[in-house]
Amino acid sequence: MTAKRATLADVARRAGTSTAVVSYVLNDGPRPVSDALRARVTAALDELNYRPDRAARALRRPRRWRHLGLLVPDVRLPLFGTLVGHIEIEARHRDHLTLIGNTAYDPEREIEFAAAFVDSGIEGLIVVGGANGPATAELCRQARIPIVWVHNNRDHVDAGMVGADHAQAGRLAANHLARDHRRRSIVFVGGFTPDEVAHGDRETVAQRYEGYVSVVGPAAAQRIPTDLTPAGAYDAVRRYLADHPTPDGLVVGTYAQAAATLRAVADAGLRIPEDVAVVGYDADAANTYAPLILTTVQQPIDDIARTALSRVLDAAGNTNSPSAPPSPFGVHLSLGETCGCTPERLASSPVG
């Protein structure tokens, strides 16, 4: 059973004074309090373990800071961590503090966070990688809180999506290997069916696979299904290399699987990029200290973050469908060492 929280009146009774005097002691004014009376009040505060109700105090003072809710699948991944950083900074410049929840693409966790944020009085909600679109959208509609979807939405809620063109990203990765490096057996690594992926970015992977197929052709398309975890990618790639002819190129569907895929190729006794060239997505641009720098397709995170924040904060009234949906943002190729590019070409990276 939870103990009853001490109130201002409880402290006043214990100290033998009024609630006004207790308030003067807590707030150091506006009226003076004698040393003897202050000592009695302080002792009563300690004895009752009094803690101010900060939420009530905040309601009584003029508000500078408003609150914005931000749901992301995993802030540890470079793409999402960078998005969070940009949104938090821009929101602070507009007098908004950002409440952040990690959903792990779990529908129940998403709605739990969304409900808690709504109860806390957020002004708007940004959902990155939505996994429970209809329920989250309905919650915000009832609360008249603007909501903006970023990157992808599992249930395709009828609202503007702020994100990159993932099919173009798939085409760009596959085309770089096929056209620029003359790779003829390019395999895609990643899963996108509900059976393969329970909690993961399967919608984005499906779109990237679609772009990959448009380059290599349906007849030549090959895929190594994974559950989108590093361990799943390592095991799947290792088994594929043991049981099939060695491909000369791999397109890895998510950044979280890239390192595991590189390790599986190396453990199979194959050289990167001489034997197998690899292209991935959404790498940490600041991390250039790995044994091999990954060639990746990158999203314009600054533009995505800025657009998402503007749409949710500038939404007219409290509506769940702010203005017309934006067009998908273009992507670019950031050259590394895993695709086989020459030092001269690396010096000109990134390329479109």
Side-chain angles (χ1 to χ4, degrees):
M1 182 176 179
T2 304
K4 180 177 177 295
R5 182 170 179 161
T7 66
L8 212 65
D10 295 331
V11 175
R13 281 193 295 271
R14 177 68 63 94
T17 186
S18 66
T19 56
V21 169
V22 175
S23 179
Y24 299 156
V25 172
L26 288 170
N27 298 298
D28 199 23
R31 294 187 177 181
V33 178
S34 68
D35 290 344
L37 185 51
R38 181 180 295 275
R40 293 209 318 268
V41 171
T42 301
L45 290 167
D46 292 340
E47 292 166 5
L48 295 175
N49 192 28
Y50 175 80
R51 291 176 291 115
D53 187 340
R54 300 189 186 280
R57 179 180 292 182
L59 291 174
R60 292 194 296 269
R61 69 164 66 105
R63 290 184 67 188
R64 175 195 169 189
W65 295 105
R66 298 180 182 274
H67 292 130
L68 173 73
L70 174 59
L71 299 181
V72 294
D74 189 344
V75 295
R76 296 171 298 178
L77 295 179
L79 170 67
F80 301 132
T82 306
L83 266 173
V84 167
H86 283 288
I87 290 174
E88 190 276 330
I89 291 171
E90 291 292 330
R92 185 154 36 89
H93 288 161
R94 298 182 61 167
D95 295 335
H96 281 72
L97 296 178
T98 306
L99 306 178
I100 302 168
N102 278 280
T103 66
Y105 288 104
D106 186 325
E108 293 184 3
R109 190 181 300 182
E110 178 180 307
I111 197 66
E112 180 182 356
F113 271 125
F117 288 174
V118 167
D119 288 343
S120 73
I122 58 172
E123 301 289 325
L125 180 66
I126 297 175
V127 182
V128 181
N132 199 358
T136 303
E138 177 61 18
L139 176 71
C140 290
R141 187 194 67 78
Q142 292 180 3
R144 300 184 62 80
I145 292 174
I147 182 171
V148 169
W149 308 94
V150 175
H151 187 60
N152 239 313
N153 187 332
R154 176 149 299 164
D155 297 303
H156 304 290
V157 172
D158 186 17
M161 179 73 60
V162 179
D165 187 335
H166 301 301
Q168 180 200 8
R171 291 191 296 272
L172 190 57
N175 198 50
H176 181 61
L177 292 178
R179 182 192 65 188
D180 299 333
H181 293 288
R182 299 293 189 266
R183 302 293 168 143
R184 293 293 176 259
S185 176
I186 304 170
V187 176
F188 188 94
V189 179
F192 48 76
T193 70
D195 289 338
E196 294 165 348
V197 182
H199 298 324
D201 194 5
R202 61 179 187 249
E203 289 74 25
T204 297
V205 175
Q207 293 168 48
R208 290 171 177 170
Y209 180 72
E210 174 189 340
Y212 152 85
V213 172
S214 73
V215 172
V216 304
Q222 302 176 68
R223 183 169 69 92
I224 303 175
T226 78
D227 63 2
L228 304 188
T229 66
Y234 178 83
D235 289 342
V237 173
R238 181 178 55 81
R239 288 195 305 269
Y240 184 92
L241 294 176
D243 298 337
H244 297 79
T246 301
D248 57 9
L250 292 175
V251 175
V252 186
T254 68
Y255 178 74
Q257 302 172 99
T261 297
L262 295 177
R263 178 61 182 269
V265 173
D267 286 354
L270 300 169
R271 299 167 301 164
I272 301 170
E274 292 85 355
D275 299 322
V276 182
V278 179
V279 177
Y281 298 91
D282 304 324
D284 182 357
N287 182 7
T288 57
Y289 301 101
L292 286 174
I293 299 172
L294 183 69
T295 294
T296 61
V297 179
Q298 298 288 102
Q299 303 181 43
I301 298 178
D302 287 2
D303 293 336
I304 292 172
R306 190 179 307 111
T307 301
L309 186 66
S310 294
R311 286 175 68 82
V312 76
L313 295 186
D314 298 338
N318 291 323
T319 174
N320 283 348
S321 301
S323 67
S327 299
F329 287 96
V331 295
H332 70 268
L333 188 67
S334 179
L335 300 179
E337 300 166 326
T338 59
C339 63
C341 279
T342 63
E344 292 76 19
R345 181 154 189 177
L346 289 177
S348 67
S349 177
V351 298

